[in-house]
Amino acid sequence: MKNRKIMFMSPLEVETIEEDYIPGKLGEHELFVQLVYSLISPGTELAMLSGKEAWAKLPICPGYSSVSRVLETGDGVTEFKPGDLVFHYGSHSEYQVVAADQLLIKLPEDIDARWVPFTRMATVAFTSVRVSTIEIGDAVSITGLGLVGNMAAQLARLQGATVIGVDLSQERIQTAASCGLDFTLNGGEGDIKEQILRLTDGKGVSTHIEATGVAKVGVDSLAWIAKLGEIIFLGSPRGEYNADVTDILNYCHLYNRGCITFKGAHEWRFPTHPAEFVKHSLVRNSKIVFELMKQKRLHIEPLISHVIKPEQAREAYEGLRLNKDQYNGVLFNWS
C-alpha cells in the first residue's frame, strides 16, 4: 500500500511524501490504524521545524495529536476492534502502528471527530489548572491565547475564576472572546499592568498562567500578580533572555514583592494512565475533556482555522510561522 507522510526534511523545509508501506505482523498489544484527522501543535512542531531542538533530529515525521480508525489488532488487544475510532498521540503518517498500552482512547459516538485532536492541547492546558490554587471568585490572567492558552483560559473559567486573556493578535483576542473569556486585552496597547489592576480593584490576579513560552513575558507579568499569588509556566520557555535573576527571585522571596509562588505545568508531570495513589492522569483528563466538548462547555469550533489536505502541509506550516493571525488550529483531513 501507499503511505502518505509529512516530513521535516531540513530546517524550514516541509514535504508531503508517498512511500510504499508493507504492514508487518502486529505485536500482541499493537494496533494498525489509519489516520482520519491530525492536528498541528504550533509551539512544539515549529520548534522541531527550526532544527534547533536536540531531541528532534531532522529529517523527521512530526505529529502530536490524532484521530485514527483501527484496521487491525494484535492477539492480546481486547478493548479495541477494527472500525473503532480512537484518539492517540500520533504522527502525521497515514498508516501507523500504535501500542495499546499507550494513550489510546475510543471516541464516544456522539462527539465531532474534528474536535477530538484538540484534546491533547486541552490536557496540556489542564495541567496549569491542576497545579493551581484557582477557586471560585478568583481573578486569573493568561498571556498567550493560542490553542493551549485559550483552553487554559476556558478551563480556569470553568473552575470559577474571572479570566483576563492577553495577546498581541486581535484575531486571537476575538476568538478568545467568542469562547467566553470575561476580559481580553491587547498586549501591545496601553499598560497591561494598569489595565489588570483596574479590572481587579487594584489587587492584581491571584493566578497568572504564562502560555507564550517567552521568558520576558513571564517576568513582566510578575508585576500584576497579587501578594501570595502564583505564576504558572505552561508554555515551554524557549530562546535566550538576559535579566537580573536576583530581582526576579525576590518576587518569590520578599513579601513586599509579593511572595509569589512559581510553578511548572509541563504536560508530563502526570502519569499517562490512572494509578491507585495518583488522582490525575492524562487518560482521565482526556476523558473529562471529551465530556466538556460534548456538553459544549469547552469551545473548540472557534479554534479551528483550517481543515486541509496533507498535500498542503508546506502551506500550513508557512502560515503558522508567518501568518499567526490567520493560522491557529490547523487540522489535516486524511480521509
Side-chain angles (χ1 to χ4, degrees):
M1 64 174 60
K2 295 293 185 181
N3 184 34
R4 292 176 294 168
K5 296 170 66 176
I6 294 167
M7 295 292 297
F8 293 169
M9 306 304 295
S10 60
L12 305 185
E13 183 184 349
V14 180
E15 291 185 15
T16 305
I17 67 171
E18 188 173 84
E19 61 184 11
D20 291 325
Y21 185 88
I22 301 175
K25 179 175 173 55
L26 289 176
E28 186 178 5
H29 299 289
E30 292 181 332
L31 299 89
F32 183 49
V33 302
Q34 181 180 14
L35 268 182
V36 179
Y37 292 108
S38 61
L39 174 68
I40 296 176
S41 168
T44 299
E45 292 190 45
L46 290 183
M48 294 169 66
L49 184 57
S50 72
K52 297 177 181 178
E53 296 292 317
W55 56 271
K57 297 293 185 184
L58 305 181
I60 191 173
C61 176
Y64 202 76
S65 183
S66 305
V67 168
S68 294
R69 189 177 305 280
V70 176
L71 300 179
E72 184 183 350
T73 62
D75 294 337
V77 176
T78 58
E79 190 177 348
F80 308 98
K81 64 182 185 302
D84 285 347
L85 287 178
V86 293
F87 164 65
H88 62 106
Y89 293 1
S91 62
H92 299 303
S93 175
E94 184 170 10
Y95 296 98
Q96 51 193 286
V97 174
V98 297
D101 61 353
Q102 295 180 5
L103 193 145
L104 191 67
I105 307 173
K106 184 177 177 180
L107 268 63
E109 293 183 0
D110 51 349
I111 194 169
D112 190 329
R114 296 176 310 134
W115 294 357
V116 174
F118 289 83
T119 300
R120 186 172 186 188
M121 314 306 285
T123 56
V124 170
F126 234 137
T127 313
S128 64
V129 176
R130 294 297 195 205
V131 303
S132 77
T133 60
I134 298 171
E135 297 177 337
I136 292 175
D138 285 352
V140 173
S141 59
I142 295 173
T143 42
L145 296 174
L147 298 182
V148 171
N150 180 297
M151 283 194 266
Q154 291 192 57
L155 291 168
R157 198 163 184 272
L158 288 172
Q159 193 87 345
T162 296
V163 178
I164 306 166
V166 183
D167 202 287
L168 294 172
S169 165
Q170 196 58 40
E171 284 77 7
R172 292 188 182 191
I173 288 171
Q174 290 171 356
T175 298
S178 72
C179 290
L181 269 66
D182 300 282
F183 302 101
T184 53
L185 303 175
N186 190 313
E189 297 178 359
D191 187 313
I192 296 300
K193 175 186 174 182
E194 287 185 2
Q195 294 178 67
I196 289 179
L197 290 179
R198 187 163 56 249
L199 290 171
T200 57
D201 295 325
K203 298 174 183 177
V205 298
S206 56
T207 299
H208 175 68
I209 299 172
E210 205 304 289
T212 70
V214 179
K216 184 179 186 304
V217 175
V219 172
D220 290 347
S221 68
L222 293 169
W224 67 71
I225 301 174
K227 278 187 169 61
L228 303 180
E230 60 186 359
I231 180 169
I232 298 173
F233 293 95
L234 176 58
S236 297
R238 293 187 173 95
E240 185 176 299
Y241 176 63
N242 296 308
D244 182 346
V245 176
T246 302
D247 182 64
I248 295 170
L249 293 179
N250 275 330
Y251 275 99
C252 177
H253 178 66
L254 297 176
Y255 180 72
N256 65 359
R257 297 295 292 278
C259 272
I260 296 166
T261 301
F262 287 48
K263 295 181 178 178
H266 193 268
E267 169 188 18
W268 293 105
R269 72 177 292 145
F270 295 126
T272 301
H273 295 280
E276 185 176 0
F277 299 106
V278 181
K279 181 177 182 180
H280 304 304
S281 66
L282 298 179
V283 167
R284 179 173 185 262
N285 286 346
S286 297
K287 289 182 177 180
I288 292 171
V289 168
F290 286 175
E291 287 303 311
L292 293 174
M293 287 179 179
K294 285 166 55 179
Q295 297 166 17
K296 296 185 179 179
R297 297 172 66 197
L298 188 65
H299 304 286
I300 303 301
E301 196 65 33
L303 301 177
I304 302 175
S305 64
H306 295 77
V307 181
I308 62 177
K309 299 177 182 179
E311 288 75 16
Q312 297 172 277
R314 183 175 300 176
E315 168 195 327
Y317 287 99
E318 283 293 294
L320 287 166
R321 250 187 357 104
L322 304 176
N323 189 8
K324 296 180 180 181
D325 285 347
Q326 300 301 322
Y327 285 76
N328 191 24
V330 180
L331 280 170
F332 291 118
N333 183 348
W334 297 81
S335 60

